[in-house]
């Protein structure tokens, strides 16, 4: 895919999970990447991995940070034409035990952040009469979830609703907006969460793949990156308002594989 015409802001792009996979795929296609992260040092270090990348520190939940980010982008690159709303935080706690501060922070980053950065990006495009494309990072939890994830799941469902609404608003300006919804993406950082459930995260991960994925391989960050690259490219010019599930089939299963193998004839 030739992405050399793209200049893309990736929020939370310094991470090694989905954000890292997105930057890797965009870089491979020749795009210029603006790597945002709340952790400025991490953003600077991440830029070292790519050919054409600039770091930009900022918290996506704060409009003053985003305004400064777009001023900085204007100074360094003039204009950008792609946005990936990747920055996100998780919360693994039953909803009736979640406190107000936890709820507010999750929504501030995972939903308000997506709206705020999109708002500044869209105005950046409209002022220049440029076209462009947005990809939001949702999650399988927007479709089906598990205990402890109701708040996260609701924010991601909101992201998908926002994706459809924004796509409708922007169609007349030839600006597209889509989302991807990853399943369980293999990244070292997920082991920290898994360790709160099990002593053997690698086995837990393998059991998940065996039982809860149609395709029996670990989903890698680059798998998400390739789908995002496609959605930012002109190859997807007739797709807008959609969410593509990059989940190795997790959400098409009504029963786990072990159960089906024992019952199907
Ligand atoms: N990892 C998974 O298995 C998985 C699955 C489904 C969806 N997702 C979604 O993918 C996205 C990326 O998650 P990931 O776990 O792959 O992490 P990641 O490796 O892409 O890292 C996320 C980055 O976001 C940064 N960040 C956090 N809050 C921020 C803020 N307020 N402003 C700017 N940057 C901020 C962090 O410092 C981190 O570097 C999230 O939206 C997440 O909900 C992840």
């Amino acid at each position: 895919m030739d992405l050399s015409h793209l200049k893309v802001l990736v929020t939370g792009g310094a991470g090694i999970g989905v954000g890292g996979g997105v930057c890797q795929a965009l870089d491979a296609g020749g795009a210029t990447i603006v790597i945002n992260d709340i952790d400025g040092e991490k953003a600077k270090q991440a830029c070292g991995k790519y050919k054409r990348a600039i770091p930009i520190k900022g918290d996506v939940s704060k409009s003053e940070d985003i305004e400064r980010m777009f001023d900085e982008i204007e100074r360094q690159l003039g204009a950008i034409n792609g946005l990936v709303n990747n920055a996100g935080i998780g919360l693994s706690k039953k909803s009736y035990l979640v406190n107000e501060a936890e709820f507010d922070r999750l929504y501030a980053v995972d939903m308000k952040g997506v709206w705020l950065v999109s708002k500044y990006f869209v105005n950046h495009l409209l002022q220049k009469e440029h076209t462009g494309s947005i990809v939001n990072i949702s999650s399988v939890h927007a479709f089906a979830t598990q205990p402890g994830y109701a708040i996260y799941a609701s924010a991601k469902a909101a992201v998908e609703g926002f994706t459809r609404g924004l796509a409708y608003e922007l169609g007349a300006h030839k600006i597209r907006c889509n989302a991807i919804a990853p399943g369980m993406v293999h990244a070292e950082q997920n082991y920290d969460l898994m360790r709160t459930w099990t002593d053997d995260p690698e086995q837990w991960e393998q059991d998940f793949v065996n039982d809860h994925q149609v395709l029996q391989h670990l989903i890698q960050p680059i798998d998400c990156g390739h789908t995002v690259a496609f959605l930012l490219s002109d190859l997807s010019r007739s797709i807008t308002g959609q969410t593509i599930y990059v989940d190795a089939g997790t959400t098409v299963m009504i029963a786990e594989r072990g159960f089906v193998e024992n019952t199907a004839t």
Side-chain angles (χ1 to χ4, degrees):
M1 243 184 283
D2 178 10
L3 307 175
S4 55
H5 60 295
L6 292 180
K7 291 180 185 168
V8 184
L9 168 61
V10 181
T11 69
I16 57 165
V18 175
V22 167
C23 291
Q24 207 186 324
L26 295 177
D27 183 65
T32 300
I33 329 164
V34 182
I35 299 186
N36 151 262
D37 210 278
I38 196 166
D39 182 336
E41 273 311 304
K42 214 165 118 184
K44 273 188 205 153
Q45 279 169 18
C47 284
K49 294 191 260 181
Y50 309 110
K51 291 184 273 302
R52 293 153 300 270
I54 60 167
I56 199 151
K57 183 183 170 166
D59 179 342
V60 296
S61 70
K62 294 188 175 147
S63 51
E64 62 272 24
D65 280 22
I66 302 165
E67 201 171 329
R68 182 184 41 75
M69 278 161 54
F70 275 89
D71 287 347
E72 186 71 31
I73 287 168
E74 285 270 355
R75 273 199 297 115
Q76 293 207 40
L77 292 175
I80 57 170
N81 50 9
L83 166 65
V84 182
N85 280 309
N86 167 74
I89 55 172
L91 180 63
S92 179
K93 197 173 186 183
K94 298 219 171 73
S95 59
Y96 50 86
L97 300 175
V98 167
N99 64 44
E100 220 173 320
E102 288 167 332
F103 179 97
D104 286 347
R105 186 61 189 155
L106 187 127
Y107 263 74
V109 179
D110 289 11
M111 178 55 224
K112 183 183 157 194
V114 170
W115 161 66
L116 264 182
V117 184
S118 300
K119 174 180 161 165
Y120 277 85
F121 175 65
V122 169
N123 282 298
H124 172 86
L125 291 179
L126 294 180
Q127 275 158 17
K128 297 177 184 319
E129 298 183 3
H130 285 180
T131 61
S133 183
I134 300 171
V135 181
N136 297 324
I137 310 299
S138 176
S139 162
V140 285
H141 285 277
F143 180 83
T145 192
Q146 68 195 58
Y149 283 83
I151 306 303
Y152 178 75
S154 66
K156 291 299 188 182
V159 166
E160 292 189 17
F162 178 67
T163 300
R164 289 187 283 271
L166 188 62
Y168 200 166
E169 290 175 355
L170 298 178
H173 302 285
K174 297 193 170 75
I175 301 170
R176 297 184 297 115
C177 179
N178 290 291
I180 68 158
M184 188 190 63
V185 179
H186 175 69
E188 199 60 39
Q189 63 209 17
N190 290 354
Y191 287 166
D192 294 339
L193 176 63
M194 289 174 201
R195 274 190 203 99
T196 66
W197 304 327
T198 172
D199 292 336
D200 189 349
E202 285 176 26
Q203 187 58 50
W204 187 95
E205 188 177 44
Q206 197 51 54
D207 290 345
F208 183 92
V209 169
N210 292 344
D211 288 344
H212 300 291
Q213 289 183 191
V214 170
L215 300 172
Q216 301 286 284
H217 61 247
L218 293 170
I219 302 168
Q220 299 293 344
I222 192 70
D223 299 330
C224 300
H226 286 146
T227 314
V228 168
F230 166 70
L231 288 172
L232 290 174
S233 80
D234 294 338
L235 294 176
S236 60
R237 64 188 281 268
S238 299
I239 301 175
T240 197
Q242 304 302 310
T243 300
I244 298 182
Y245 277 63
V246 186
D247 68 350
T250 293
T251 50
V252 302
M253 301 171 86
I254 199 169
E256 68 182 52
R257 284 168 58 87
F259 175 81
V260 172
E261 276 156 17
N262 292 335
T263 56
T265 52

